[in-house]
Amino acid sequence: MGKIKKKFSEGSSRTYTTRNRALRKLQVSLADFRRLCILKGIYPVEPRSQKKANRGSSKPTTFYYAKDIQLLLSEPLIAKFREHKIFLRKLQRALGKDDLTRAKGLEARRPEYTLDHLVIERYPAFVDALRDLDDALCMVFLFATMPTVSKVNNEIVEDCKRLSTEFMHYVIHSHSLRKVFLSIKGIYYQAEIQGQSITWIVPYQFSQNVPLDVDFKVMATFLQFYRTLLGFVNYRLYTTSNLSYPPKVDQSMDDSAAGLGSLRVEAKRVEDLIKGVQSSDTTSVPEVAMSKQMKQRMDTLGSKIKKIVAADTTAPAYESVGSGEADGDVDDETRQIGNLLFGKQVFFLSREVPRYSLEFVVRAFGGRLGWDQTSGGGSPYAENDRAITVQISDRPVQGHQFLDRIYVQPQWVYDSINARRLLDVEDYLIGQPLPAHLSPFVEYEEGDYVPEAATKLAAAAGFEGEVTNLKPEDHDQSEDEEEDAEEAADIDGASADEDAPDSDEEDEEDEDAVAEKQHQKQLLAERAGVSFSEYQQKQGAKPKPKAAAGKKRTKAEVEEEERQKIAISMLSKKKRKVVNRTQADAYKKAKDVNTLKTRKAQAAAKPVKSAKGKKN
């Protein structure tokens, strides 16, 4: 007799476990269990059969993998949570007895814990951390713009500002920004770091009202882990780029709202060189001679640095931004490099444009810029500086204008970044109606509706987008021409074959059907006792010429359609459903494209009202 198996000892009941059983096994509260799952990256799962996983019960519940819960048993954070609960009980007892001395001592010994081991555990390789950085950046940038309220601590907001600014400085230094899109929700950015595309969204800097129906405890738990993760990532990015971390903060620039300019990013090797000179007094005898050589090098280092800085700060011959065709003399390979897009331009930002975004994207693509004093201090260029080539403004009326620069609207910068070339400024001048701002994250497939602005960008030289260079009308014309050629070839070939009488018979059948319908209408008119023309007028059917029939299909097309129908009928029921679903999706897609084209034609047919300019 074989060994009797115990019930629920294998299968789904062993693979999955319910949340209540997990709580009893870990001996933690529900709030601590949620925090553990968020920090460890453990999420609920949906088994195929809930009844089998729940040991025969059909009661709705939450399931987890049993191995994940087993892994939590050895987590050191559980002991830290218990220590924190004991601390809170002691502190509450001391405050209840008005023992302030004991309460202060307990507060000084508050138990703390870090999440460094979780970052190393969840992301063994640095590429894994970069691949999972999208949500972390979105959360950190969100809390960096949050107001300080009771639910959001001021220290958390300041830490998020520091981490987000450090990451933006690395993107500027590495010129790794690739795409920008202005949406209703915020500004989408995409950077490419070590072969990984990282996309995040930054809210607009408007006054925000903190919602009351949001569980900030859950968001704070996610934010706690994301702050630790972003700190690790920033340190690794800075050190691999030979930059000192953390970057130094210029307090005077920070107090004057200098923005990104308040951080000083320095090379790490210069710091090491200075430290080596400072520690030369404690070196041994054979190292003294080396320190003298280092001092001699340091004496000449200042003059060399001044020469390098002077060479970098001297303004090169700036090219004109008059039109997108004006840069045809530039090498194509140089022009397509995104990080040198604004390398020969100096921008000035007016007070009404979003400086926090434009400063980031312009510097990320090699440009230099200054801004109005009302937007913050620390501007390297004044408004009347002769080196400025482009001024970004969003006011239809300018009090004064300089003739040696071009005034454009902010959208020109973002569209040029997405197009990877300097666009023609004629469509972006002050007071001009702006073209459509298209998302660079959309990849057009065959049969999709392609906007007119996307076709213009696709046809322009130097653009490496996902759309083809043909317009939708060109697609239709080329397809029609091919079909006409095929039809003509088929007709010519069929005239020499014996199948020619078949097409004549089809034409005769169509004519017989039309004549039969006409005869039926005449019989109805005769029964009513009126003439055929009067009958048509009463029915509201005016005599119309014969409508032009659709393009007649060739015999080869008819045979191909019948062959496809036969092939579909030979498939199994499951595969036939898949084919029918695919055809239905294609039909719906074509219908949506036709609807968009119809709306566009209707909008173009309406008269455009003249827009009045806004006053300052």
Side-chain angles (χ1 to χ4, degrees), residues 18-206:
T18 61
R19 188 175 64 182
N20 292 333
R21 288 200 292 268
L23 293 177
R24 288 195 300 267
K25 191 172 186 177
L26 297 174
Q27 293 295 309
V28 294
S29 62
L30 181 59
D32 290 343
F33 178 74
R34 286 175 175 169
R35 291 178 63 191
L36 279 173
C37 291
I38 291 173
L39 296 176
K40 294 282 289 184
I42 297 174
Y43 300 100
V45 294
E46 186 72 20
R48 290 185 177 181
S49 176
Q50 293 189 2
K51 190 172 183 180
K52 292 181 180 180
N54 203 11
R55 300 181 179 180
S57 176
S58 58
K59 183 179 179 180
T61 184
T62 305
F63 294 93
Y64 294 87
Y65 282 117
K67 290 184 178 181
D68 292 342
I69 303 303
Q70 188 71 23
L71 182 64
L72 290 178
L73 287 173
S74 59
E75 178 56 45
L77 285 179
I78 296 179
K80 294 292 184 180
F81 290 165
R82 289 169 181 166
E83 290 178 6
H84 188 72
K85 283 188 175 182
I86 295 171
F87 160 76
L88 291 179
R89 284 201 299 266
K90 290 181 178 180
L91 182 63
Q92 187 177 6
R93 189 181 301 112
L95 293 176
K97 294 180 179 180
D98 292 335
D99 191 354
L100 299 181
T101 304
R102 179 175 174 78
K104 290 180 180 179
L106 290 172
E107 184 66 28
R109 300 189 301 272
R110 176 187 287 268
E112 297 179 355
Y113 61 92
T114 60
L115 306 178
D116 299 346
H117 66 286
L118 293 181
V119 176
I120 300 173
E121 178 184 336
R122 292 180 61 174
Y123 307 108
F126 184 63
V127 178
D128 299 332
L130 291 178
R131 196 179 295 116
D132 201 22
L133 200 61
D134 296 357
D135 294 337
L137 288 175
C138 293
M139 184 74 74
V140 170
F141 275 92
L142 172 63
F143 274 83
T145 59
M146 291 283 287
T148 303
V149 293
S150 58
K151 296 182 179 180
V152 182
N153 192 2
N154 186 29
E155 297 179 357
I156 296 177
V157 175
E158 293 298 329
D159 190 39
C160 291
K161 288 181 180 179
R162 177 185 63 84
L163 292 171
S164 59
T165 306
E166 290 174 357
F167 183 78
M168 293 170 70
H169 265 285
Y170 174 78
V171 174
I172 292 173
H173 175 78
S174 60
H175 303 291
S176 55
L177 189 64
R178 293 295 177 265
K179 297 178 182 179
V180 187
F181 178 61
L182 306 176
S183 69
I184 299 177
K185 297 180 180 180
I187 306 176
Y188 286 89
Y189 299 101
Q190 186 179 85
E192 186 176 350
I193 300 176
Q194 297 187 10
Q196 300 296 325
S197 296
I198 302 173
T199 308
W200 72 97
I201 181 173
V202 179
Y204 295 110
Q205 291 187 0
F206 299 142

Side-chain angles (χ1 to χ4, degrees), residues 254-278:
D254 192 23
D255 295 339
S256 61
L260 294 174
S262 60
L263 286 184
R264 300 300 182 188
V265 181
E266 300 176 354
K268 192 175 182 181
R269 55 190 177 189
V270 176
E271 279 192 348
D272 296 340
L273 188 62
I274 295 174
K275 288 180 181 179
V277 173
Q278 291 177 351

Side-chain angles (χ1 to χ4, degrees), residues 359-501:
E359 181 182 5
F360 171 57
V361 298
V362 169
R363 292 181 59 184
F365 283 88
R368 291 172 288 171
L369 75 163
W371 51 86
D372 194 83
Q373 295 180 356
T374 58
S375 301
S379 174
Y381 296 95
E383 187 176 3
N384 56 357
D385 198 319
R386 306 290 295 181
I388 297 175
T389 58
V390 181
Q391 181 163 344
I392 303 176
S393 179
D394 204 13
R395 286 177 290 173
V397 179
Q398 297 289 328
H400 58 279
Q401 292 187 358
F402 297 90
L403 300 179
D404 58 349
R405 67 184 64 170
I406 296 175
Y407 291 80
V408 295
Q409 301 184 53
Q411 186 178 330
W412 176 80
V413 177
Y414 300 106
D415 288 350
S416 297
I417 291 172
N418 296 331
R420 303 180 188 176
R421 68 184 185 90
L422 297 179
L423 296 177
D424 189 356
V425 298
E426 295 296 332
D427 297 334
Y428 300 90
L429 295 177
I430 302 299
Q432 293 291 335
L434 291 171
H437 180 58
L438 301 177
S439 173
F441 302 99
V442 177
E443 296 182 0
Y444 299 103
E445 299 177 355
E446 185 179 358
D448 289 345
Y449 173 75
V450 182
E452 184 178 356
T455 58
K456 290 182 179 179
L457 290 177
F463 181 63
E464 298 179 358
E466 291 80 2
V467 299
T468 57
N469 292 331
L470 291 177
K471 296 182 180 180
E473 294 81 7
D474 297 337
H475 281 291
D476 298 338
Q477 293 176 2
S478 61
E479 291 176 0
D480 294 344
E481 292 173 359
E482 291 177 0
E483 291 178 359
D484 294 340
E486 292 178 359
E487 183 178 356
D490 291 338
I491 292 175
D492 294 340
S495 60
D497 299 336
E498 297 178 356
D499 298 336

